């Protein structure tokens, strides 16, 4: 490759450092403008940042395979495991493409259909109302710990069937470690903590699986215990893999989404006022929130063949990161993309929940969780007042954006 071509496709951008230093959106704008398909430092992963290109990567599973997702949990580069040994269990659905992807996705999707979600509305409302008692108008209280996690936890535990087998503190510890998982992980302290948390989590899953074999219930674990793929029942490892994905993804996306909503409403009182006067705008708020301030920044794929995007060719076997959060701010797809517009037309075409066969199973559930929280706040005429950015504890990775602490008070 010629020197100028190398500079064009590998311009020396350390994307994670830029995100941590300045937030994601300024560097995404630069990528879209100057380097829409390029390699980033330090590992040379490819990133794709424009709307049409990101959607193409997400849709074309034959060229951009999802199997690379299992590599996120393979820490061989740290020498913490024997060469070739991968963390168990595999992340089914997340790391699969058709036809296997559909077989496993079909096992769990009925628990995330609109009819199943609607049955959870009373639980959502009761939980949200009770958690509001934790807050007052004088002393700041951490919204993440005292609202977002217990609210989402009650919903996820109800769907999955975990009950009170483990504490919310344990679940939160594991999920927060999941947020930090990345390719080429070499932090030995992190790896040790993650392995211990995952082993503990799988232990809780296995205990519940054994219990459901003896005492079935109307929950996801019972469904998976009795499920078959190609005529064979699932192994405990396969069930744990599905549960790891559903529980961790359900927590991460929803907790950060709720925090983003509270922050945005605190910063934009006119939006809160408009929602109070026009409650029918709540679903539109959720769609625009996910476009404007998504909890998931990007995902990963691996090329199964050499492929050209625009005037850049990506070789076979390369790791590709389609940046959905960048696509959502592409001015070619959305007018005035850096402005939050409650009445934006077609905000729902944003890519925060993916696109194609890998569109997030829990997308409708997450939107409903947000809608119920907003309805509860508006009915009570309550609004959270958030601190300045330097008083919050950010979560900034290549893939996740949120806060781990959010001290708020009621207005």
């Amino acid at each position: 490759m010629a020197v100028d071509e190398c500079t064009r496709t590998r311009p020396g951008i350390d994307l994670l450092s830029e995100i941590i230093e300045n937030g994601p959106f300024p560097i995404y704008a630069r990528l879209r403008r100057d380097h829409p398909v390029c390699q980033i430092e330090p590992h040379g992963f490819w990133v794709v940042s424009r709307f049409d290109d990101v959607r193409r990567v997400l849709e074309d599973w034959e060229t951009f395979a999802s199997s690379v997702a299992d590599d996120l949990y393979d820490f061989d580069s740290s020498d913490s495991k024997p060469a070739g040994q991968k963390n168990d269990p595999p992340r089914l659905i997340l790391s699969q493409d058709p036809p296997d992807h559909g077989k496993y996705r079909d096992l769990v999707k009925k628990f995330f259909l609109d009819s199943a979600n609607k049955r959870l509305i009373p639980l959502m409302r009761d939980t949200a109302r009770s958690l509001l008692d934790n807050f007052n108008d004088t002393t700041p209280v951490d919204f993440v710990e005292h609202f977002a996690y217990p609210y989402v936890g009650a919903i996820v535990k109800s769907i999955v069937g975990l009950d009170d087998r483990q504490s919310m503190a344990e679940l939160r510890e594991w999920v927060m470690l999941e947020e930090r998982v990345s390719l080429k992980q070499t932090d030995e302290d992190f790896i040790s903590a993650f392995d211990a948390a995952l082993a503990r989590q799988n232990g809780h899953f296995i205990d519940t699986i054994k219990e459901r074999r003896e005492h079935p219930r109307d929950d996801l674990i019972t469904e998976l215990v009795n499920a078959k793929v190609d005529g064979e029942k699932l192994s405990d490892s396969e069930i744990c893999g599905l549960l790891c994905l559903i529980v961790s993804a359900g927590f991460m996306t929803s907790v950060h989404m709720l925090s983003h909503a509270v922050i945005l409403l605190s910063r934009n009182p006119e939006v809160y006022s408009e929602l109070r006067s026009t409650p029918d705008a709540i679903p539109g708020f959720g769609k625009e929130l996910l476009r404007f301030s998504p909890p998931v920044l990007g995902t990963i794929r691996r090329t199964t063949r050499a492929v050209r995007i625009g005037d850049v060719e990506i070789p076979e076997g390369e790791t590709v990161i389609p940046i959905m959060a960048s696509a959502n701010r592409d001015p070619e797809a959305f007018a005035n993309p850096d402005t939050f517009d409650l009445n934006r037309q077609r905000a729902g075409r944003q890519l925060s929940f993916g696109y194609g066969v890998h569109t997030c199973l829990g997308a409708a559930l997450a939107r409903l969780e947000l809608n119920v929280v907003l309805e509860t706040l508006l009915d009570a005429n309550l609004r959270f007042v958030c601190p300045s950015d330097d008083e919050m504890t950010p979560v900034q990775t290549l893939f996740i954006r949120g806060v781990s602490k959010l001290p708020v008070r009621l207005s």
Side-chain angles (χ1 to χ4, degrees):
M1 183 182 294
V3 173
D4 60 341
E5 175 69 6
C6 194
T7 302
R8 184 172 67 88
T9 60
R10 192 161 184 171
I13 295 172
D14 187 329
L15 183 56
L16 180 56
S17 294
E18 291 276 0
I19 288 173
I20 293 173
E21 182 69 23
N22 302 308
F25 301 111
I27 184 60
Y28 291 166
R30 178 184 167 197
L31 287 173
R32 288 192 305 269
R33 183 187 67 241
D34 300 331
H35 310 285
V37 182
C38 70
Q39 292 175 276
I40 58 171
E41 304 307 330
H43 303 297
F45 303 139
W46 292 82
V47 294
V48 179
S49 53
R50 290 179 179 171
F51 183 90
D52 288 342
D53 296 336
V54 170
R55 187 166 63 175
R56 173 188 170 187
V57 171
L58 295 174
E59 183 177 32
D60 185 1
W61 55 266
E62 292 179 300
T63 304
F64 301 95
S66 298
S67 57
V68 67
D70 272 338
D71 290 357
L72 286 169
Y73 304 92
D74 176 14
F75 303 137
D76 289 348
S77 61
S78 67
D79 297 325
S80 67
K81 296 182 183 298
Q85 178 180 332
K86 291 183 179 292
N87 275 353
D88 192 37
R91 299 305 170 104
L92 299 174
I93 301 179
L94 177 69
S95 62
Q96 293 174 305
D97 289 310
D100 290 340
H101 171 267
K103 296 175 184 178
Y104 287 88
R105 185 182 174 101
D106 286 346
L107 297 180
V108 300
K109 72 178 183 181
K110 81 173 190 177
F111 285 86
F112 298 94
L113 297 174
D114 284 344
S115 56
N117 292 341
K118 288 177 181 176
R119 289 201 297 269
L120 293 167
I121 291 177
L123 171 65
M124 293 179 184
R125 285 177 176 157
D126 290 345
T127 304
R129 287 168 182 160
S130 66
L131 290 171
L132 285 178
D133 292 338
N134 292 324
F135 300 89
N136 57 67
D137 59 1
T138 56
T139 307
V141 177
D142 184 1
F143 175 83
V144 175
E145 180 178 354
H146 294 283
F147 191 100
Y149 264 98
Y151 174 75
V152 176
I155 298 162
V156 171
K157 284 186 172 185
S158 175
I159 295 170
V160 174
L162 285 175
D163 299 327
D164 295 321
R165 181 175 296 277
Q166 66 183 131
S167 69
M168 188 57 59
E170 280 188 346
L171 267 173
R172 184 179 180 185
E173 179 187 356
W174 168 53
V175 170
M176 290 178 71
L177 288 166
E178 287 272 352
E179 290 174 347
R180 293 174 52 198
V181 169
S182 64
L183 290 161
K184 307 292 186 182
Q185 180 63 255
T186 58
D187 183 332
E188 294 292 344
D189 290 338
F190 166 80
I191 293 167
S192 177
F194 180 84
D195 283 345
L198 182 59
R200 184 183 63 209
Q201 189 63 38
N202 285 334
H204 288 306
F205 287 149
I206 293 294
D207 288 345
T208 309
I209 289 166
K210 290 177 180 177
E211 184 179 289
R212 290 301 185 274
R213 289 196 174 107
E214 297 292 327
H215 305 287
R217 295 188 191 176
D218 182 18
D219 58 31
L220 178 57
I221 293 181
T222 301
E223 184 77 12
L224 294 177
V225 163
N226 296 317
K228 292 183 179 181
V229 172
D230 295 332
E232 298 288 336
K233 283 201 168 186
L234 302 183
S235 67
D236 286 356
S237 177
E238 288 177 311
I239 296 175
C240 285
L242 289 167
L243 294 174
C244 278
L245 169 64
I246 291 165
V247 174
S248 65
F251 265 97
M252 284 189 287
T253 301
S254 296
V255 166
H256 292 317
M257 174 188 64
L258 293 173
S259 296
H260 288 319
V262 166
I263 294 168
L264 189 140
L265 290 174
S266 175
R267 301 278 192 269
N268 300 272
E270 74 283 357
V271 175
Y272 180 87
S273 297
E274 187 168 354
L275 288 176
R276 281 220 73 210
S277 62
T278 315
D280 289 346
I282 288 176
F285 172 90
K287 292 176 182 177
E288 176 68 347
L289 175 75
L290 287 162
R291 183 202 69 82
F292 183 77
S293 189
V296 178
L297 299 177
T299 187
I300 55 172
R301 298 290 188 265
R302 177 163 291 151
T303 53
T304 60
R305 61 179 179 85
V307 59
R308 182 168 290 275
I309 300 180
D311 59 353
V312 175
E313 181 171 291
I314 304 176
E316 179 183 349
E318 293 289 302
T319 297
V320 178
I321 301 174
I323 310 174
M324 291 96 76
S326 174
N328 291 346
R329 295 283 189 109
D330 188 341
E332 295 297 316
F334 301 97
N336 301 314
D338 295 322
T339 300
F340 183 92
D341 182 356
L342 181 60
N343 301 304
R344 183 179 296 277
Q345 299 299 309
R346 300 184 70 193
R349 71 192 295 250
Q350 46 81 18
L351 302 176
S352 293
F353 286 118
Y355 189 77
V357 298
H358 280 282
T359 299
C360 177
L361 264 170
L365 175 64
R367 287 192 288 264
L368 182 60
E369 289 170 342
L370 174 61
N371 291 349
V372 169
V373 169
L374 292 175
E375 290 167 2
T376 304
L377 287 172
L378 293 169
D379 286 344
N381 193 21
L382 297 176
R383 183 165 62 89
F384 287 112
V385 178
C386 295
S388 60
D389 289 344
D390 58 5
E391 295 180 78
M392 295 184 279
T393 305
V395 175
Q396 301 273 29
T397 75
L398 279 177
F399 304 108
I400 300 293
R401 176 174 177 261
V403 292
S404 60
K405 291 183 180 180
L406 178 57
V408 302
R409 58 182 176 81
L410 288 175
S411 170

